Amino acid sequence: MRLLKEAFNFVLSSAQEYSMKIYEEADSLSSYSDEELLDEMNNGSGKKRIAAAFLYKARHSQNDD
């Protein structure tokens, strides 16, 4: 059971670290236009692509309200 708990904590910690990197990447893309974000979503890779998708969705979710 202890090993399972350690493994779970490792996975959780890794996910939190990756989430922070995505957040930081999204912050660096905040000045991008929608067209530039769409370009990153279609042609980018890794964290930048994910961050662009989250940022684009966040912008357009606010407009839906």
Side-chain angles (χ1 to χ4, degrees):
M1 189 67 169
R2 181 171 180 233
L3 183 58
L4 181 60
K5 184 177 180 179
E6 287 179 25
F8 177 78
N9 285 336
F10 173 76
V11 170
L12 184 59
S13 175
S14 296
Q16 288 172 331
E17 287 176 30
Y18 194 72
S19 294
M20 264 320 280
K21 290 177 183 177
I22 298 291
Y23 175 81
E24 290 167 359
E25 193 67 48
D27 189 46
S28 74
L29 299 176
S30 64
S31 64
Y32 278 36
S33 68
D34 283 350
E35 292 78 21
E36 290 171 313
L37 290 175
L38 287 170
D39 185 56
E40 285 298 336
M41 288 166 53
N42 292 320
N43 302 313
S45 62
K47 291 183 291 285
K48 196 168 191 176
R49 183 179 203 170
I50 296 167
F54 280 128
L55 187 55
Y56 185 86
K57 178 65 176 165
R59 283 183 185 174
H60 292 275
S61 293
Q62 290 175 355
N63 292 337
D64 291 342
D65 294 341

